[in-house]
Amino acid sequence: MLGRHTTRTGLRQRHHLTLTEAQQRAPFTVLMPDRVPTDWQVSCDHFEASERPPSPAQIALSYRSGDGHESVSIDQMASADRALHHYENMVSEGDWQEITRNERSIKVRPAEWGQAQAHLEHDGAFVFLVSDNLTGDQLATLAAGLRAAPSVGSI
């Protein structure tokens, strides 16, 4: 990933980073997919925590296929900070299906809802996945294979 830069979104600082740099900065374990197709590209942004409005530190990963026909967004924050974010309202609604994969409990909302969504808590991180073109089952498989991003070296 070339070219790091910082921008301000509202009152929050956003830093475009590598996954390794994100792992070093985040106050939680940053998770990444264990397998990604070779033609997919990743973009990684770190959003600093802010007091006003209250927002937790977040990592946003965006994966997109080379031809642009498939993509997934993976947003993460410390599990303890989940209540500070609008995701808390979204995941509290009752139309989630619970799936167990690789001994992980993953809640999935199928694509028929408008877009496939999934969320889980793992290794101290709350993770929310969303895709306009992958199925809920594909998101569950992706979520089940999340692993800690490296904190040193390169990917």
Side-chain angles (χ1 to χ4, degrees):
M1 184 177 308
L2 300 173
R4 282 175 246 132
H5 63 275
T6 300
T7 56
R8 186 173 287 281
T9 58
L11 300 176
R12 295 177 75 185
Q13 290 282 328
R14 180 180 79 179
H15 307 277
H16 188 67
L17 306 171
T18 66
L19 278 164
T20 300
E21 291 167 326
Q23 186 70 280
Q24 293 167 350
R25 286 192 188 196
F28 56 90
T29 300
V30 175
L31 302 173
M32 60 180 270
D34 62 347
R35 286 176 290 169
V36 176
T38 56
D39 71 325
W40 282 41
Q41 299 174 351
V42 64
S43 173
C44 177
D45 291 307
H46 171 255
F47 294 86
E48 292 183 4
S50 69
E51 290 182 21
R52 291 185 60 174
S55 298
Q58 280 181 263
I59 298 295
L61 304 178
S62 179
Y63 287 88
R64 181 170 305 279
S65 64
D67 63 10
H69 287 101
E70 293 180 308
S71 63
V72 62
S73 296
I74 305 172
D75 291 343
Q76 307 173 50
M77 67 192 69
S79 293
D81 291 338
R82 183 174 120 177
L84 295 174
H85 200 276
H86 71 269
Y87 286 130
E88 184 62 24
N89 292 331
M90 292 173 61
V91 301
S92 297
E93 297 173 6
D95 57 347
W96 294 91
Q97 175 188 4
E98 189 163 352
I99 297 173
T100 302
R101 297 253 171 96
N102 292 348
E103 299 180 19
R104 292 185 190 173
S105 174
I106 303 159
K107 294 192 178 173
V108 176
R109 190 180 268 166
E112 296 85 49
W113 187 82
Q115 60 184 193
Q117 299 176 348
H119 69 89
L120 73 154
E121 292 190 37
H122 181 69
D123 208 7
F126 169 75
V127 185
F128 190 86
L129 302 91
V130 63
S131 178
D132 291 330
N133 36 45
L134 298 179
T135 67
D137 189 61
Q138 288 172 308
L139 286 184
T141 298
L142 185 66
L146 292 174
R147 63 178 172 89
S151 57
V152 295
S154 60
I155 299 174

